[in-house]
Amino acid sequence: LVCGKVLVEVGLFLFGLAFFVCAFSCATSSLEHGSHEGDGYENIANSGLSLFKMAFSMYSGQNYDGLDEHPALLFSVLAYIVTCIEFLSNLLIAQITCAYQECHRDMLGYARLSRGKIVAETM
């Protein structure tokens, strides 16, 4: 019961993250930042992969150092980090908390129904 409701919330989080990755990868790949081949932002697919790596903390620190040379790219990556990592992760925590509270209320209701059934059977 709990796992089903929590997995739905995690799925919604991953869907939202995929949406933000698509939006920001299109934006970063279309910027005029004078990127060189292999920096991770030359097309939408590579840009999306780089942003997914950032979201899951798999992006190396050396790649962040190269963003200082391109202010527009740096601003878009910072906006992505604030939006996805800060906002969406906090939203995921709030969703999981609410889903668990709802499940807890349901379990209390089932327990009351079960006790009521036992009382009715004994009478």
Side-chain angles (χ1 to χ4, degrees):
L1 186 65
V2 175
C3 290
K5 290 188 179 197
V6 170
L7 285 178
V8 168
E9 301 301 331
V10 171
L12 288 173
F13 166 75
L14 291 175
F15 178 73
L17 180 67
F19 174 77
F20 276 105
V21 165
C22 287
F24 277 94
S25 65
C26 289
T28 55
S29 66
S30 66
L31 287 174
E32 286 287 332
H33 52 80
S35 67
H36 302 293
E37 190 68 30
D39 70 347
Y41 300 100
E42 60 269 358
N43 59 27
I44 294 173
N46 289 343
S47 180
L49 182 63
S50 296
L51 293 175
F52 261 122
K53 286 181 181 179
M54 285 179 199
F56 294 116
S57 299
M58 296 170 34
Y59 201 66
S60 73
Q62 296 169 347
N63 292 338
Y64 284 114
D65 293 338
L67 295 176
D68 291 339
E69 301 166 1
H70 312 292
L73 184 60
L74 177 66
F75 177 74
S76 65
V77 167
L78 287 176
Y80 169 77
I81 289 172
V82 167
T83 303
C84 287
I85 295 174
E86 298 297 322
F87 176 70
L88 284 181
S89 63
N90 286 332
L91 186 64
L92 174 67
I93 292 168
Q95 284 178 323
I96 288 175
T97 302
C98 289
Y100 184 75
Q101 287 174 351
E102 179 184 337
C103 188
H104 184 261
R105 279 191 304 248
D106 288 345
M107 287 191 299
L108 287 177
Y110 292 145
R112 287 182 184 141
L113 286 173
S114 175
R115 281 182 275 172
K117 179 181 172 187
I118 291 170
V119 168
E121 287 176 354
T122 57
M123 293 179 102

